[in-house]
Amino acid sequence: AAAAQAFGQSLTPRRRAQNARRSADLSERPGLNRARASSGSRATKTKRTARRARRAPHSTMRAARRALSAAPQPSAVSHRVGEYGLGGRHSVSGVRASLFGATGFLGRYVCSEMGKVGTRVRVGNRGSDDETRHLKVSFDHGQFHAPFYSPRDVASVADVVGRATVVVNMVGKYYETKGVVPKKQKDGSTSRVNYSYEATNVDVARTVAEAANAAGAHLVHVSCMAQDPKSPVSWARTKAAGEKAVLEACPHATIVRPCALFGPEDRLLNWFAGMADMPLNVVPLVNDGAAVAQPTYVADVAKVLNVIASDPEAYAGKVVELGGPAEYTRRELAEFTFDITKQKARLVDVPAAWSSTAASFLSELPVPMWTPDDVALDALDVVVSPDTPALTFADFGIAPTPIEKIAFSYLHRYREGGHFIIAQGFHG
């Protein structure tokens, strides 16, 4: 009351007279007084709501800025030489990688892992822009480039390498690519083969290794666990010859040998499901599927390659052998696949000689499902030796992912009628 009296005394005489007249007028018309009071309160609430709405974006931004400032920021001590940024995809790791064969099965996962840490990547592209566009989303702006090249053109290979600090060669093919019509070869003969096993696994590997060595970049060469110069599989023999050619051109290269890879785009479990979708539902098993495999998750191999690319000098001249956490026969893998897909497949024991004859016909297709080399490989045990002197997943601190944890996510699409066809109670 004292404060109100003091405020009233501070007003000018004219202002006090206006207030007195307004009070008298309102006292004579109580209905109008209540209406004005209520309308005034509504107007006040409306104005207050509008002011809050205008302030909302600013308050949200202030809260976001406070949260960002409170979050731990990378310090200069934690950065490698040449690395800067906030970390993750929105940073530059200081690593410049050139990838060959990145448009294949393993390559897309390697791109994803490198994009997570801000590695700047050049992907060699032999096709159109559509061949690499699915890889761009793994990188921040300016971190991805896909120059065109030909494996038979040394200058274009050197252009892909550029100023890279590390080069990863993942080029490989499970069949020999063929043209529609025969063409003349260097020795004067004619053949439909475009890239043979020798050309893909040896010549291209040597060309990439020489380009990496000339540029002073470290080379990571992805081979396979089945490589063996005395193998009955020509594909595996050329893989061994490719390793030898790489080490001759680049003695400090890192050799990575993964076992059979599994994942959404694999040729392991998808092969069984694809064969079961054929008209006769027959799935051939070479020698009753007795050969042992050690399936390895493709993303785990990509993580290892990313670790090597981040510190290539620590792994120079090393051999890395990567196998999954468990071993299975091919029959067990087939039964596991059909336990998920619920396909009515017939597993048929076929001797290797008969299988090779059937695969020779299928190998004439543009993209064959089965080749004679596949048959010969299906009869061999391909696992990592427990006492191997090479580096394994354990040396990288990575626990290999079990096949049971991943397979369902991409095999259930083969179920007849879709994913929910076997669910009980959904339709009453």
Tab-separated table of all heavy atoms in Angstrom, residues 67-94:
chain	number	residue	atom	x	y	z
A	67	ALA	N	24.443	-27.079	-24.771
A	67	ALA	CA	24.745	-28.513	-24.798
A	67	ALA	C	26.011	-28.805	-25.584
A	67	ALA	O	26.817	-29.649	-25.205
A	67	ALA	CB	23.563	-29.281	-25.395
A	68	LEU	N	26.191	-28.074	-26.692
A	68	LEU	CA	27.382	-28.291	-27.519
A	68	LEU	C	28.638	-27.850	-26.794
A	68	LEU	O	29.679	-28.501	-26.861
A	68	LEU	CB	27.236	-27.531	-28.847
A	68	LEU	CG	28.343	-27.751	-29.881
A	68	LEU	CD1	28.397	-29.217	-30.266
A	68	LEU	CD2	28.110	-26.889	-31.108
A	69	SER	N	28.530	-26.728	-26.069
A	69	SER	CA	29.699	-26.257	-25.333
A	69	SER	C	30.038	-27.172	-24.172
A	69	SER	O	31.194	-27.310	-23.778
A	69	SER	CB	29.460	-24.830	-24.830
A	69	SER	OG	28.349	-24.801	-23.933
A	70	ALA	N	28.997	-27.828	-23.614
A	70	ALA	CA	29.233	-28.742	-22.503
A	70	ALA	C	29.795	-30.077	-22.960
A	70	ALA	O	30.425	-30.793	-22.179
A	70	ALA	CB	27.935	-28.976	-21.727
A	71	ALA	N	29.549	-30.454	-24.247
A	71	ALA	CA	30.039	-31.739	-24.759
A	71	ALA	C	31.558	-31.723	-24.848
A	71	ALA	O	32.163	-30.687	-25.137
A	71	ALA	CB	29.432	-32.017	-26.137
A	72	PRO	N	32.201	-32.864	-24.611
A	72	PRO	CA	33.671	-32.914	-24.700
A	72	PRO	C	34.142	-32.694	-26.130
A	72	PRO	O	33.682	-33.337	-27.052
A	72	PRO	CB	34.000	-34.335	-24.215
A	72	PRO	CG	32.743	-35.120	-24.435
A	72	PRO	CD	31.613	-34.165	-24.242
A	73	GLN	N	35.026	-31.746	-26.311
A	73	GLN	CA	35.557	-31.422	-27.625
A	73	GLN	C	36.919	-32.068	-27.798
A	73	GLN	O	37.683	-32.200	-26.835
A	73	GLN	CB	35.682	-29.900	-27.793
A	73	GLN	CG	34.361	-29.156	-27.658
A	73	GLN	CD	33.409	-29.526	-28.767
A	73	GLN	OE1	33.819	-29.736	-29.893
A	73	GLN	NE2	32.127	-29.617	-28.438
A	74	PRO	N	37.246	-32.508	-29.039
A	74	PRO	CA	38.565	-33.103	-29.260
A	74	PRO	C	39.660	-32.075	-29.038
A	74	PRO	O	39.570	-30.952	-29.520
A	74	PRO	CB	38.499	-33.559	-30.730
A	74	PRO	CG	37.443	-32.715	-31.345
A	74	PRO	CD	36.444	-32.447	-30.264
A	75	SER	N	40.645	-32.454	-28.284
A	75	SER	CA	41.742	-31.536	-28.013
A	75	SER	C	42.817	-31.696	-29.078
A	75	SER	O	42.849	-32.660	-29.829
A	75	SER	CB	42.340	-31.835	-26.634
A	75	SER	OG	42.895	-33.134	-26.607
A	76	ALA	N	43.711	-30.738	-29.129
A	76	ALA	CA	44.800	-30.793	-30.101
A	76	ALA	C	45.709	-31.985	-29.827
A	76	ALA	O	46.333	-32.525	-30.729
A	76	ALA	CB	45.596	-29.497	-30.062
A	77	VAL	N	45.757	-32.399	-28.548
A	77	VAL	CA	46.625	-33.528	-28.198
A	77	VAL	C	46.092	-34.825	-28.779
A	77	VAL	O	46.839	-35.706	-29.181
A	77	VAL	CB	46.749	-33.622	-26.666
A	77	VAL	CG1	47.614	-34.820	-26.284
A	77	VAL	CG2	47.338	-32.346	-26.106
A	78	SER	N	44.718	-34.964	-28.855
A	78	SER	CA	44.120	-36.203	-29.332
A	78	SER	C	44.128	-36.316	-30.845
A	78	SER	O	43.829	-37.365	-31.386
A	78	SER	CB	42.676	-36.317	-28.830
A	78	SER	OG	41.879	-35.271	-29.379
A	79	HIS	N	44.430	-35.242	-31.564
A	79	HIS	CA	44.446	-35.259	-33.024
A	79	HIS	C	45.762	-35.832	-33.540
A	79	HIS	O	46.830	-35.571	-32.984
A	79	HIS	CB	44.267	-33.853	-33.580
A	79	HIS	CG	42.851	-33.368	-33.502
A	79	HIS	ND1	42.518	-32.037	-33.585
A	79	HIS	CD2	41.695	-34.030	-33.349
A	79	HIS	CE1	41.216	-31.903	-33.491
A	79	HIS	NE2	40.693	-33.100	-33.341
A	80	ARG	N	45.654	-36.599	-34.622
A	80	ARG	CA	46.855	-37.014	-35.316
A	80	ARG	C	47.376	-35.854	-36.153
A	80	ARG	O	46.706	-34.833	-36.315
A	80	ARG	CB	46.568	-38.216	-36.222
A	80	ARG	CG	46.249	-39.493	-35.486
A	80	ARG	CD	46.203	-40.650	-36.465
A	80	ARG	NE	45.115	-40.484	-37.406
A	80	ARG	CZ	43.911	-40.969	-37.221
A	80	ARG	NH1	43.630	-41.652	-36.123
A	80	ARG	NH2	42.957	-40.800	-38.112
A	81	VAL	N	48.567	-36.005	-36.711
A	81	VAL	CA	49.117	-34.975	-37.572
A	81	VAL	C	48.234	-34.823	-38.808
A	81	VAL	O	47.949	-35.801	-39.501
A	81	VAL	CB	50.563	-35.334	-37.983
A	81	VAL	CG1	51.103	-34.293	-38.954
A	81	VAL	CG2	51.455	-35.439	-36.761
A	82	GLY	N	47.797	-33.627	-39.070
A	82	GLY	CA	46.938	-33.362	-40.222
A	82	GLY	C	45.469	-33.536	-39.948
A	82	GLY	O	44.642	-33.299	-40.824
A	83	GLU	N	45.086	-33.948	-38.725
A	83	GLU	CA	43.676	-34.167	-38.410
A	83	GLU	C	43.087	-32.927	-37.755
A	83	GLU	O	43.722	-32.277	-36.921
A	83	GLU	CB	43.527	-35.363	-37.468
A	83	GLU	CG	42.089	-35.657	-37.080
A	83	GLU	CD	41.958	-36.845	-36.149
A	83	GLU	OE1	43.015	-37.384	-35.755
A	83	GLU	OE2	40.823	-37.217	-35.811
A	84	TYR	N	41.885	-32.605	-38.135
A	84	TYR	CA	41.192	-31.486	-37.507
A	84	TYR	C	39.694	-31.683	-37.674
A	84	TYR	O	39.235	-32.518	-38.439
A	84	TYR	CB	41.620	-30.150	-38.108
A	84	TYR	CG	41.405	-30.023	-39.592
A	84	TYR	CD1	40.209	-29.525	-40.106
A	84	TYR	CD2	42.390	-30.411	-40.493
A	84	TYR	CE1	39.998	-29.410	-41.466
A	84	TYR	CE2	42.192	-30.302	-41.860
A	84	TYR	CZ	41.003	-29.795	-42.339
A	84	TYR	OH	40.793	-29.683	-43.689
A	85	GLY	N	38.899	-30.901	-36.959
A	85	GLY	CA	37.453	-31.010	-37.037
A	85	GLY	C	36.858	-31.524	-35.741
A	85	GLY	O	37.551	-31.726	-34.742
A	86	LEU	N	35.541	-31.727	-35.753
A	86	LEU	CA	34.807	-32.139	-34.561
A	86	LEU	C	34.879	-33.633	-34.307
A	86	LEU	O	34.362	-34.116	-33.309
A	86	LEU	CB	33.339	-31.706	-34.682
A	86	LEU	CG	33.093	-30.195	-34.755
A	86	LEU	CD1	31.616	-29.922	-34.954
A	86	LEU	CD2	33.595	-29.523	-33.489
A	87	GLY	N	35.452	-34.385	-35.220
A	87	GLY	CA	35.492	-35.837	-35.075
A	87	GLY	C	34.397	-36.495	-35.880
A	87	GLY	O	33.398	-35.877	-36.239
A	88	GLY	N	34.583	-37.788	-36.168
A	88	GLY	CA	33.571	-38.503	-36.941
A	88	GLY	C	33.571	-38.106	-38.398
A	88	GLY	O	34.587	-37.696	-38.964
A	89	ARG	N	32.409	-38.221	-39.012
A	89	ARG	CA	32.301	-37.929	-40.445
A	89	ARG	C	32.574	-36.461	-40.756
A	89	ARG	O	33.014	-36.127	-41.849
A	89	ARG	CB	30.912	-38.320	-40.960
A	89	ARG	CG	30.607	-39.806	-40.834
A	89	ARG	CD	29.280	-40.156	-41.469
A	89	ARG	NE	28.868	-41.514	-41.112
A	89	ARG	CZ	29.259	-42.598	-41.754
A	89	ARG	NH1	30.053	-42.497	-42.801
A	89	ARG	NH2	28.838	-43.790	-41.372
A	90	HIS	N	32.285	-35.573	-39.804
A	90	HIS	CA	32.458	-34.142	-40.040
A	90	HIS	C	33.847	-33.685	-39.609
A	90	HIS	O	34.004	-32.733	-38.843
A	90	HIS	CB	31.375	-33.359	-39.301
A	90	HIS	CG	29.991	-33.789	-39.653
A	90	HIS	ND1	29.455	-33.600	-40.915
A	90	HIS	CD2	29.031	-34.426	-38.946
A	90	HIS	CE1	28.224	-34.093	-40.947
A	90	HIS	NE2	27.948	-34.604	-39.775
A	91	SER	N	34.850	-34.377	-40.058
A	91	SER	CA	36.222	-34.028	-39.722
A	91	SER	C	37.139	-34.501	-40.843
A	91	SER	O	36.711	-35.162	-41.784
A	91	SER	CB	36.629	-34.676	-38.395
A	91	SER	OG	36.679	-36.083	-38.531
A	92	VAL	N	38.381	-34.158	-40.719
A	92	VAL	CA	39.413	-34.638	-41.642
A	92	VAL	C	40.440	-35.386	-40.808
A	92	VAL	O	41.080	-34.809	-39.925
A	92	VAL	CB	40.067	-33.471	-42.410
A	92	VAL	CG1	41.207	-33.988	-43.280
A	92	VAL	CG2	39.036	-32.756	-43.257
A	93	SER	N	40.575	-36.689	-41.057
A	93	SER	CA	41.435	-37.530	-40.219
A	93	SER	C	42.914	-37.364	-40.534
A	93	SER	O	43.758	-37.812	-39.764
A	93	SER	CB	41.045	-39.003	-40.390
A	93	SER	OG	41.364	-39.446	-41.703
A	94	GLY	N	43.213	-36.769	-41.671
A	94	GLY	CA	44.610	-36.674	-42.079
A	94	GLY	C	45.056	-37.847	-42.927
A	94	GLY	O	46.179	-37.847	-43.451
